[in-house]
């Protein structure tokens, strides 16, 4: 009985010690709490950094893909080419107006009156007409025109005898249209080379003939009278 009494208390004590070791809850110390909070805070910051870092990387990649899809237009945009009107060979060129055929040009002569008094000077008119069906160009400058006055075989006056300048004047004449040139004659005589002459044309009802010339073309005669 003495052994049993000695062993029972040991078993009881052993059982009590076992329950105390497995059933009792230990409270973490303040240092453990601090380490846990520090760990959790660090993990949260890393998660936030990864999240925003992912967005930044995605945004950068998105920008790169967009630049690639546009072909880098901001870096190597080609210069605009010339418009069709600036391209060589596309501008229309003006067709030059042809010269009038001598066979289609008519020259006429006229005076402003049929008869003139002693103090009146005749106005001589040369008229050039395009008898063709297309516009053409005629030289009606002083290099081509001549106002000639004669009386029978007497050469009285020529505008070329004392002409100061001989100039060209090109004019485009429409089909059927005309250009005119007027010359006031001072009832004087002239000689070729503008040699001086004192004689005057005869009066007293004398008849005179005015002939207009343009190059090789000569007009029909226009007759007038000086009193």
């Amino acid at each position: 009985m003495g052994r049993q009494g000695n062993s029972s208390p040991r078993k009881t004590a052993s059982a009590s010690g076992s329950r105390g070791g497995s059933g009792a809850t230990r409270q973490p110390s303040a240092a453990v709490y601090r380490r846990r909070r520090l760990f959790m805070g660090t993990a949260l910051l890393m998660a936030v950094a990864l999240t925003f870092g992912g967005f930044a990387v995605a945004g950068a990649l998105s920008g790169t893909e967009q630049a690639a899809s546009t072909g880098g237009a901001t870096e190597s945009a080609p210069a605009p080419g010339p418009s069709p009107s600036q391209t060589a060979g596309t501008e229309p060129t003006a067709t030059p107006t042809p010269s009038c055929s001598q066979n289609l040009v008519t020259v006429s002569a006229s005076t402003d009156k049929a008869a003139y008094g002693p103090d009146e000077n005749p106005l001589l008119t040369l008229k050039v007409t395009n008898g063709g069906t297309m516009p053409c160009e005629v030289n009606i400058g002083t290099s081509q025109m001549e106002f000639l006055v004669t009386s029978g075989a007497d050469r009285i006056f020529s505008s070329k005898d004392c002409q100061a300048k001989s100039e060209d004047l090109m004019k485009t004449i429409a089909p059927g249209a005309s250009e005119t040139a007027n010359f006031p004659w001072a009832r004087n005589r002239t000689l070729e080379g503008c040699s001086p002459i004192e004689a005057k044309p005869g009066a007293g009802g004398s008849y005179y003939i005015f002939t207009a010339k343009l190059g090789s073309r000569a007009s029909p005669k226009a007759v007038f009278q000086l009193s």
Side-chain angles (χ1 to χ4, degrees):
M1 294 181 64
R3 292 177 183 175
Q4 293 177 353
N6 292 334
S7 60
S8 295
R10 287 197 295 271
K11 291 181 181 178
T12 301
S14 174
S16 175
S18 173
R19 285 193 301 271
S22 60
T25 302
R26 296 182 180 180
Q27 298 295 328
S29 65
V32 172
Y33 276 116
R34 284 194 298 272
R35 286 196 297 271
R36 288 179 180 178
R37 290 192 185 99
L38 180 61
F39 175 77
M40 292 300 292
T42 303
L44 180 61
L45 290 176
M46 290 180 64
V48 170
L50 288 173
T51 299
F52 284 98
F55 283 137
V57 171
L61 290 175
S62 176
T64 302
E65 292 174 358
Q66 185 177 2
S69 66
T70 57
T74 56
E75 295 180 1
S76 58
S83 63
S85 62
Q86 296 173 333
T87 306
T90 60
E91 294 184 1
T93 56
T95 303
T97 304
S99 297
C100 293
S101 170
Q102 290 291 318
N103 296 329
L104 299 177
V105 171
T106 59
V107 180
S108 62
S110 63
T111 59
D112 59 331
K113 294 177 66 174
Y116 299 89
D119 299 325
E120 293 179 316
N121 292 333
L123 182 66
L124 312 180
T125 299
L126 179 154
K127 184 177 180 180
V128 184
T129 304
N130 176 10
T133 59
M134 298 292 290
C136 59
E137 202 171 50
V138 180
N139 185 352
I140 59 172
T142 55
S143 63
Q144 302 297 313
M145 291 191 300
E146 182 181 10
F147 296 80
L148 179 66
V149 178
T150 59
S151 178
D154 190 6
R155 182 183 184 272
I156 305 295
F157 171 86
S158 172
S159 60
K160 283 188 171 294
D161 288 344
C162 297
Q163 184 170 282
K165 291 183 179 179
S166 178
E167 297 178 340
D168 294 331
L169 178 61
M170 306 304 296
K171 285 282 188 177
T172 298
I173 306 179
S178 303
E179 288 285 339
T180 60
N182 296 319
F183 186 90
W185 179 42
R187 299 173 68 148
N188 61 314
R189 279 185 176 267
T190 59
L191 295 175
E192 292 185 21
C194 203
S195 300
I197 183 172
E198 294 182 0
K200 299 292 182 182
S206 299
Y207 286 91
Y208 294 84
I209 297 173
F210 163 46
T211 303
K213 292 185 177 181
L214 186 71
S216 61
R217 304 289 291 179
S219 71
K221 299 174 181 179
V223 180
F224 63 97
Q225 185 179 14
L226 295 181
S227 298

